[in-house]
Amino acid sequence: MTTNAKMLLTVLGDPTRQAILDLLLEGPQPVGQLAALLPVSRPAVSQHLKVLKEVGLVMDHQEGTRRVYRVDPAGLAPLRAYLERFWQQAMVAFAQHAENQHADDQTDNKE
C-alpha cells in the first residue's frame, strides 16, 4: 500500500496514536507495556497499533508469546517529503519578501 502525507497526518491526528508513537520513539515495546503507560485498554492500544502499522509508521516482530512494536523510520518519508516541500515554498516566499524589502529600503534611501 502506498501511503501519502494526508493519510499520515490523518492517522497522527489522534492523540492516542501520537502518544503511542512517542513511546515507541524511546524504543521497541510490547502492547502490554504500552497499554500500562496509556489511559486506554490493551485492546484499544492494539487497534491503534494496527492503524499505525497499516500506514507504515510502525513494524512488529514476535518475541515468544508477545508482539514487540517499533517505529519504522521509512514510514515517515512521505510526511517528511510533504513538509520539505512546504518548507521550500516558505523559504522562497521569505527570500522574495526580503528582496522586496531591501529594494524598498534602497528606494527610500535615494529619496
Side-chain angles (χ1 to χ4, degrees):
M1 173 205 306
T2 302
T3 302
N4 62 37
K6 284 184 181 181
M7 189 181 303
L8 291 173
L9 289 170
T10 300
V11 166
L12 291 173
D14 183 281
T16 301
R17 290 188 200 118
Q18 290 172 21
I20 290 170
L21 200 59
D22 287 343
L23 290 170
L24 291 176
L25 285 171
E26 296 173 13
Q29 299 183 49
V31 177
Q33 189 174 340
L34 291 167
L37 298 170
L38 296 166
V40 295
S41 68
R42 185 180 175 138
V45 171
S46 292
Q47 282 301 113
H48 285 294
L49 285 165
K50 179 181 175 188
V51 172
L52 290 167
K53 185 177 176 182
E54 286 174 352
V55 297
L57 290 172
V58 300
M59 49 191 353
D60 64 328
H61 67 276
Q62 194 78 31
E63 278 187 14
T65 60
R66 57 188 193 166
R67 299 207 71 69
V68 177
Y69 289 83
R70 67 179 176 89
V71 172
D72 182 355
L76 291 172
L79 186 55
R80 290 179 64 194
Y82 171 78
L83 293 174
E84 181 65 29
R85 193 177 80 226
F86 173 78
W87 183 247
Q88 282 294 99
Q89 290 173 347
M91 292 304 294
V92 167
F94 176 77
Q96 288 174 342
H97 175 74
E99 287 174 19
N100 291 341
Q101 190 68 36
H102 180 70
D104 288 347
D105 290 347
Q106 294 293 355
T107 302
D108 290 345
N109 288 339
K110 289 181 181 178
E111 292 176 3

